[in-house]
Amino acid sequence: KTWKEDVHETLRGFLERASLGDIAARMDLLRVLLQTLEQRAQAQAQAQRQGAEEASAVEELMVKSEEAEGMDVDGAPAPVDGKREKKERRRELRDMLANTLAYYAQFLPALAHQLTSRIGPVEREYKDLVKITKWENKDYAALKQNMERAQRQLHKLMRKYEAALQYPIKLLLEQLREGGVARFW
């Protein structure tokens, strides 16, 4: 396996093992990572440009002659295309990350619709529970019984809500790819 395949598999697994409740947060995390990598690359390119402008022609000639002789500036053997290869890998990693984000971003509207369709009924039940529950009763026993019933119903609704949030997106993505779930974009 190449490093590209490993990175692709890791990114794909990271996103596809997400649930409906945390896919947006995972996508945001990868966006921040991509922005950080891009900012770092820009800062390194700017530092190299500034360094090249500030270096004198004599120093550049010395560095180039030492590298041409196979020696680093410090007298150590110079790596053959090490910096160029590392820079290329970083660029490829940024590209892979950007492409992965773009691919999964196309499914976000459909996943958001699925989330609202799963959470909507639970929210309506919660609002109905709040409307129905009465706390005006002066009788202690009736108030206690009413409170216990409302607490059980609320706990049941919370479990339904958490189940909707924890629904794995991998199943939905497979259905979207096959056309089994309507796309809303």
Side-chain angles (χ1 to χ4, degrees), residues 166-184:
Q166 294 301 320
Y167 192 82
I169 67 157
K170 188 172 187 171
L171 302 173
L172 291 172
L173 287 174
E174 289 172 1
Q175 291 173 349
L176 283 168
R177 289 179 191 130
E178 295 169 1
V181 175
R183 294 183 180 200
F184 292 90

Side-chain angles (χ1 to χ4, degrees), residues 4-160:
K4 290 179 187 180
E5 292 169 339
D6 284 339
V7 169
H8 177 71
E9 187 177 305
T10 301
L11 290 173
R12 185 176 175 184
F14 178 71
L15 290 173
E16 289 192 1
R17 282 194 293 269
S19 63
L20 274 175
D22 69 347
I23 185 64
R26 288 185 183 211
M27 293 283 288
D28 288 341
L29 180 66
L30 290 180
R31 278 189 200 98
V32 169
L33 176 62
L34 179 61
Q35 288 172 352
T36 303
L37 291 173
E38 287 174 346
Q39 288 171 354
R40 182 178 175 192
Q42 289 172 356
Q44 287 175 344
Q46 184 178 4
Q48 286 177 349
R49 281 192 301 271
Q50 286 176 349
E53 292 170 3
E54 294 171 359
S56 69
V58 174
E59 289 175 341
E60 285 184 42
L61 286 174
M62 285 178 50
V63 169
K64 287 180 182 179
S65 67
E66 287 176 357
E67 287 177 348
E69 293 174 349
M71 300 300 283
D72 198 355
V73 178
D74 299 327
V80 181
D81 289 336
K83 285 185 179 180
R84 197 173 304 136
E85 183 178 310
K86 195 181 252 187
K87 191 175 183 179
E88 180 65 21
R89 272 193 179 194
R90 286 184 187 141
R91 187 192 59 74
E92 288 175 351
L93 179 62
R94 287 192 311 269
D95 291 348
M96 287 175 65
L97 191 53
N99 290 337
T100 302
L101 281 169
Y103 176 75
Y104 285 98
Q106 71 179 335
F107 298 115
L108 282 180
L111 293 174
H113 178 74
Q114 284 292 319
L115 180 63
T116 56
S117 69
R118 291 174 185 278
I119 288 179
V122 177
E123 288 177 344
R124 282 191 294 280
E125 284 183 57
Y126 170 74
K127 288 177 184 176
D128 291 343
L129 176 66
V130 170
K131 288 178 188 175
I132 292 173
T133 304
K134 303 271 189 225
W135 303 103
E136 302 163 359
N137 215 340
K138 302 281 185 197
D139 183 23
Y140 175 75
L143 184 64
K144 181 180 176 189
Q145 186 181 26
N146 191 17
M147 183 183 71
E148 287 173 351
R149 186 178 70 247
Q151 196 173 20
R152 281 192 306 272
Q153 289 174 329
L154 184 60
H155 187 66
K156 182 180 174 183
L157 288 175
M158 287 303 298
R159 284 194 309 260
K160 285 182 181 180

